[in-house]
Amino acid sequence: MTATLNLLKQPWVWAWVGALGVWGATAAFTGGQGAGEVLRAALTFGAFYVIVALGQMFVVTLGPGNVDLSIPACMTLAGTVAMKTMAGAAAMIPVGLLIALGIGLVVGTVNYALIRLLRIPPIIATLSSSFIYQSAAIWWNRGLRVKPPAALADFTTAKIAGVPVIALCVAVLAVAGHVLLTRTLYGRGVVAIGQNPRAAHLAGVGVERIRAATYILSATLAGLCGYLLAGFSGGAALNMGEEYLLSSIAVVVIGGTSVAGGFANVPGLWGAALFLFLLVTMLNTFGAGAGVRMVLTGLIIIGVIVAASGTRRRT
Amino acid sequence: MSAPVSPRVLRALLPPLSLAALLIAIFWLQPRTMSYFGLNLLLNLAVPIALATIAQMFILCVNELDLSIGAFVSLVACITATWLHDAPLLGVLALAGLVAAYAGLGALIHLRNLPSIVVTLGMSFVWLGLAVLVLPTPGGAAPDYIRSLMTLKPPIVPFPIIASVVLALAVHVLLMRSAWGTVLRGAGGNPQALARAGWSILRIKMTMFALAGFFGVLSGMALVGLTTSADANIALRYTLLSIAGVILGGGEFVGGRVSPIGAVIGAVTLALAGSFLSFLRLNPDWQIGAQGAILILVLALRVLISRGEVRR
């Protein structure tokens, strides 16, 4: 009984409740038809959200003003360069992965260098640098859509016992992220900085080193997501990262991580990612047009944030 | 101490100097722009961008950030090109309602202590969705009076220049030179002090958001006056342009430290940067990237100047 009560107090529960509710509503509307299919699609697309949201969560937890707006551009750049280098050859898959991760590493380093050297707010730093990454991606791929190696495409769409393999892999990644956040010096350092950077510094936390690692981690995960997404959707497109700007932030916040920093949790990321995808699916099933769908998505995101802030204040 | 110009002055001079450098470069590359007609063409689209930048500046002034202004301007453009043209009363009511909605957003963000970044990201969906509902396919028509205002050809000085100067000075007087404006800015500098002095922070935030909404509406109307038709995605890039414009113009993210004149200059600089890059015959692939590089360059210059400020 107390276990259930404790569970209800967790900030991430509401994202899961929302996801289940939306899925239930969709299933009820269709009379249970295709509910399994919808869930499978949600797990696949949710997995991509979770990869970038994991990085964004660490960045947001650093405190007010810390947001990585270069995630979409980084995804696009990593995806295009990796696809072009692999040129569809299965033997090149590990090389492509290394290139994607390497691009993320470089992007993260540049982002942090701008923040540190120019002392500009991370929002503007990642925003201005993202223009440059986006241009680099356009210049590199020249509008060509290179097909991913068949083996990579198969991997991203494979299923074990009906469950998408990529969702399983990202679940493992999320567990690693959870351990990183709650059980390591680095993760505790991120949370400490988010709560009070000065106190963290005085307590001996290497503030700048941790900030650097966080921006690099976020960009590297974006690179990984770009690589996998390009494999999944049959090649890298120049606008493939677009929707991940809003969703990476929305997933983090709906998942119960504090936007003011200092409080984060990983389970909420999965709940929120499923919620976001299932919400759009539900509105689609109900036959809502594009306009109504967008209005409702926006209102529901705001509604969730208002509700979440209310519960947080009472405790 | 022995420096001929104080860093503070240098800092204030940076935005106009960047603009002047850019203008000289454009004149040098393409002397034909140095005419009434050329300047008109060059600066036309800077007017709606400047209005959107002023809107963003009001929000930044109270330590918030508006990531929905681009979608909002798009929605206003769609309403202007349809309702305001066909049924003026309905159009005016809708636009007034949008300004009120902005004030309401300010109240919501303040009362529930919500992060403005997330709320406005959510609102950007709402505005965009409404824009799609109002105008599903690109089209519509600009009301004649807006069209004739935006294509005005006053003697000697082109209209965009007059409009920008009037806008910058009007907002400067309102926000920087009036007692009321000082109180409004104080809400960004030290809200506790203002609240203790008996001012309502809620009312100030609502006022600032309403002002932002008002200038957002003007921006959308001006845009339709130039393009004569609208679509739901017409101004999405204004979100980033407006933030960059305020920062280029010397504004800060926190502390109520903004400059209306600087913001207008910043917006015009960004609008011109696009033309400059095309005159340079730069590979079009690198156009967006070069804009980002210009932004980083100006910010780097400012850091150098601020270092001098600290040393003194």
Side-chain angles (χ1 to χ4, degrees):
Chain A
M1 189 61 198
T2 43
T4 341
L5 275 179
N6 277 338
L7 188 71
L8 279 180
K9 273 188 197 149
Q10 295 293 327
W12 48 264
V13 169
W14 299 107
W16 283 95
V17 171
L20 274 177
V22 172
W23 183 55
T26 315
F29 187 79
T30 59
Q33 247 183 345
E37 267 313 305
V38 167
L39 195 60
R40 229 163 287 158
L43 282 171
T44 305
F45 284 95
F48 293 117
Y49 286 148
V50 170
I51 299 175
V52 284
L54 205 55
Q56 187 75 279
M57 179 194 75
F58 280 103
V59 173
V60 167
T61 307
L62 281 176
N66 283 293
V67 179
D68 188 352
L69 294 185
S70 71
I71 284 179
C74 179
M75 282 173 64
T76 311
L77 183 60
T80 45
V81 176
M83 288 307 127
K84 201 169 173 191
T85 313
M86 292 190 292
M92 293 289 279
I93 288 180
V95 182
L97 178 62
L98 282 181
I99 286 177
L101 294 177
I103 286 174
L105 205 73
V106 172
V107 163
T109 312
V110 170
N111 283 345
Y112 178 72
L114 287 176
I115 295 167
R116 179 91 171 115
L117 296 180
L118 298 192
R119 276 185 273 151
I120 34 181
I123 296 180
I124 280 287
T126 52
L127 178 69
S128 3
S129 64
S130 76
F131 289 152
I132 299 177
Y133 311 141
Q134 187 71 29
S135 270
I138 298 173
W139 170 73
W140 192 273
N141 113 323
R142 310 221 153 268
L144 295 173
R145 197 179 173 96
V146 185
K147 273 204 160 45
L152 178 64
D154 289 346
F155 167 75
T156 52
T157 48
K159 294 182 184 72
I160 296 179
V163 182
V165 172
I166 190 154
L168 294 173
C169 295
V170 175
V172 172
L173 187 71
V175 170
H178 180 73
V179 172
L180 185 67
L181 176 71
T182 55
R183 294 273 178 275
T184 65
L185 214 55
Y186 163 75
R188 302 322 289 164
V190 169
V191 173
I193 293 170
Q195 290 176 2
N196 189 335
R198 190 162 161 69
H201 172 72
L202 291 174
V205 176
V207 175
E208 289 308 327
R209 203 179 307 162
I210 285 183
R211 287 223 301 166
T214 306
Y215 278 94
I216 291 172
L217 176 69
S218 170
T220 310
L221 284 171
L224 174 68
C225 185
Y227 174 78
L228 292 174
L229 187 61
F232 175 75
S233 47
L238 285 174
N239 61 350
M240 63 188 252
E242 230 167 57
E243 61 167 318
Y244 285 79
L245 179 62
L246 174 78
S247 28
S248 71
I249 301 174
V251 164
V252 170
V253 178
I254 295 175
T257 293
S258 160
V259 184
F263 295 94
N265 77 83
V266 175
L269 296 183
W270 260 111
L274 295 177
F275 172 69
L276 266 191
F277 181 82
L278 289 169
L279 179 68
V280 175
T281 314
M282 179 185 80
L283 295 173
N284 264 336
T285 324
F286 289 179
V292 178
R293 209 162 61 219
M294 276 192 275
V295 172
L296 286 177
T297 310
L299 287 180
I300 289 174
I301 289 176
I302 294 175
V304 168
I305 292 153
V306 172
S309 76
T311 53
R312 211 169 288 147
R313 194 165 282 186
R314 246 175 271 136
T315 49
Chain B
M1 281 146 268
S2 58
V5 194
S6 85
R8 216 187 155 79
V9 175
L10 215 58
R11 198 187 136 97
L13 277 178
L14 190 58
L17 285 181
S18 327
L19 177 60
L22 195 60
L23 264 180
I24 290 170
I26 288 178
F27 288 157
W28 180 63
L29 282 168
Q30 189 56 269
R32 264 174 294 177
T33 56
M34 220 182 333
S35 62
Y36 183 93
F37 184 71
L39 277 174
N40 209 9
L41 219 56
L42 209 55
L43 291 168
N44 240 341
L45 279 171
V47 176
I49 297 177
L51 285 162
T53 306
I54 289 289
Q56 184 71 257
M57 188 203 68
F58 282 116
I59 307 267
L60 275 170
C61 187
V62 282
N63 300 348
E64 309 285 357
L65 192 64
D66 186 358
L67 293 183
S68 70
I69 192 76
F72 182 74
V73 173
S74 299
L75 170 60
V76 171
C78 288
I79 291 179
T80 308
T82 53
W83 295 353
L84 197 62
H85 182 259
D86 306 329
L89 184 66
L90 178 67
V92 170
L93 282 177
L95 294 179
L98 286 180
V99 176
Y102 248 76
L105 272 183
L108 180 74
I109 287 172
H110 176 71
L111 288 176
R112 303 299 299 247
N113 200 16
L114 297 175
S116 54
I117 296 180
V118 190
V119 174
T120 52
L121 262 180
M123 281 317 287
S124 71
F125 271 63
V126 176
W127 302 137
L128 194 59
L130 289 175
V132 171
L133 287 177
V134 172
L135 192 65
T137 51
D144 293 331
Y145 52 92
I146 300 179
R147 177 88 191 125
S148 47
L149 175 68
M150 291 307 293
T151 50
L152 214 56
K153 296 247 181 317
I156 307 168
V157 187
F159 175 71
I161 295 181
I162 297 178
S164 304
V165 170
V166 167
L167 172 69
L169 289 181
V171 180
H172 181 79
V173 169
L174 173 87
L175 196 64
M176 312 302 281
R177 287 273 173 263
S178 76
W180 186 58
T182 311
V183 172
L184 290 181
R185 278 185 294 132
N190 192 341
Q192 282 92 354
L194 265 192
R196 290 212 182 111
W199 298 95
S200 158
I201 300 292
L202 172 67
R203 207 176 297 160
I204 293 177
K205 281 229 165 143
M206 287 177 72
T207 311
M208 288 304 243
F209 271 78
L211 280 169
F214 175 68
F215 280 95
V217 166
L218 289 187
S219 170
M221 291 168 74
L223 184 58
V224 172
L226 290 170
T227 59
T228 66
S229 68
D231 81 273
N233 300 314
I234 191 166
L236 289 188
R237 62 198 187 94
Y238 278 23
T239 302
L240 304 185
L241 277 178
S242 66
I243 300 174
V246 177
I247 301 301
L248 268 183
E252 297 278 351
F253 270 92
V254 287
R257 200 174 175 186
V258 294
S259 156
I261 297 180
V264 171
I265 293 177
V268 174
T269 309
L270 280 176
L272 283 180
S275 318
F276 169 67
L277 295 172
S278 52
F279 287 140
L280 262 187
R281 305 240 170 79
L282 186 75
N283 186 340
D285 298 349
W286 283 103
Q287 289 236 355
I288 333 169
Q291 290 199 356
I294 290 177
L295 202 57
I296 292 174
L297 194 72
V298 173
L299 289 166
L301 278 174
R302 204 154 93 190
V303 170
L304 286 179
I305 293 171
S306 305
R307 272 199 192 145
E309 205 171 358
V310 170
R311 221 172 283 147
R312 286 161 71 94

